[in-house]
Amino acid sequence: RRWLIVLVPTALAALTAWIVTLPRFMRPVYQSSATLMVEFPQMLAPGLSSLLSNPSMAEQMARLQSQIQSTDFLKDVVTRTGLQEDVSIRRWASRSQRRYPDLSLDELVDLKLMDYLRNSIRMSSDASRPGAIGNVIRITVQDFSAEGARTLVQTVTQSIIEANVAEQVAQVKSAGDFSAAQFQEYQVKL
């Protein structure tokens, strides 16, 4: 007698589920990840350890996390991947220019890309697992295309490696300059 009470909500739920799962509304999200192993800091001689910074692994991980979320780092990733030329991002920026009249089209593109990258790049460490050493990190990127996710994770990983190599070179140069200055001081004293 009350078959409409069952049939109408069931039909509405089925129709809603069908509409929501259409590719236009529910796009697949691809995930790509890379695993990096961070070297433990080398122990310095007792006299040098008080003069030069030798960060712990936790400090290195925190610095790496803030580096990945920094605007300069993300702008480098955008430049390397060519994301600023993405058609959908540019379309969004041109539609949003009325809402943000003070920003140019390129500034809106950068704003959208920075927000997108901050939300799609994740870094996790194995330090939370019991018995883990804590120097292995996983960089995970999500994107709406498989090739985009792969390109992003490669670019982010390469940028992290290059930034850390540059930082290590700067630390070695700093230690070398310090040693040269100390050597000159002792030569003058002798």
Side-chain angles (χ1 to χ4, degrees):
R1 212 164 78 177
R2 296 183 182 150
W3 59 275
L4 282 175
I5 294 174
V6 173
L7 185 63
V8 171
T10 304
L12 285 175
L15 181 65
T16 304
W18 179 74
I19 289 172
V20 167
T21 58
L22 288 174
R24 181 175 184 194
F25 297 109
M26 188 174 249
R27 294 170 56 185
V29 176
Y30 296 93
Q31 182 173 319
S32 185
S33 62
T35 304
L36 297 172
M37 189 162 105
V38 181
E39 292 179 357
F40 282 107
Q42 294 180 355
M43 297 302 294
L44 297 174
L48 288 176
S49 62
S50 63
L51 299 172
L52 299 173
S53 67
N54 195 13
S56 68
M57 186 55 68
E59 290 170 337
Q60 283 185 353
M61 293 301 197
R63 188 174 3 177
L64 187 58
Q65 179 68 35
S66 66
Q67 173 190 358
I68 288 173
Q69 295 295 320
S70 72
T71 302
D72 292 336
F73 181 83
L74 293 176
K75 280 186 179 182
D76 182 50
V77 169
V78 166
T79 303
R80 288 178 179 217
T81 56
L83 281 173
Q84 68 270 23
E85 302 304 322
D86 186 68
V87 176
S88 62
I89 301 282
R90 289 217 166 264
R91 197 176 315 126
W92 173 87
S94 64
R95 283 192 317 252
S96 299
Q97 257 187 326
R98 281 179 252 125
R99 271 190 286 167
Y100 306 104
D102 297 343
L103 299 175
S104 70
L105 184 69
D106 289 334
E107 290 172 332
L108 279 172
V109 167
D110 284 345
L111 180 72
K112 177 70 172 176
L113 287 173
M114 294 302 123
D115 184 50
Y116 165 71
L117 289 176
R118 283 191 176 106
N119 291 327
S120 63
I121 298 173
R122 297 282 175 248
M123 184 184 101
S124 60
S125 173
D126 69 344
S128 59
R129 291 184 300 166
I133 298 174
N135 66 335
V136 176
I137 58 171
R138 179 179 286 290
I139 306 295
T140 305
V141 174
Q142 294 179 344
D143 194 32
F144 292 117
S145 73
E147 182 63 27
R150 187 181 66 77
T151 302
L152 270 176
V153 81
Q154 284 178 338
T155 305
V156 168
T157 305
Q158 189 63 34
S159 296
I160 288 171
I161 291 169
E162 288 175 4
N164 283 335
V165 166
E167 185 179 328
Q168 287 176 354
V169 167
Q171 285 179 348
V172 167
K173 186 178 180 322
S174 170
D177 292 345
F178 176 76
S179 295
Q182 291 296 312
F183 181 70
Q184 286 178 347
E185 252 185 63
Y186 285 117
Q187 267 187 332
V188 167
K189 289 181 181 179
L190 290 174

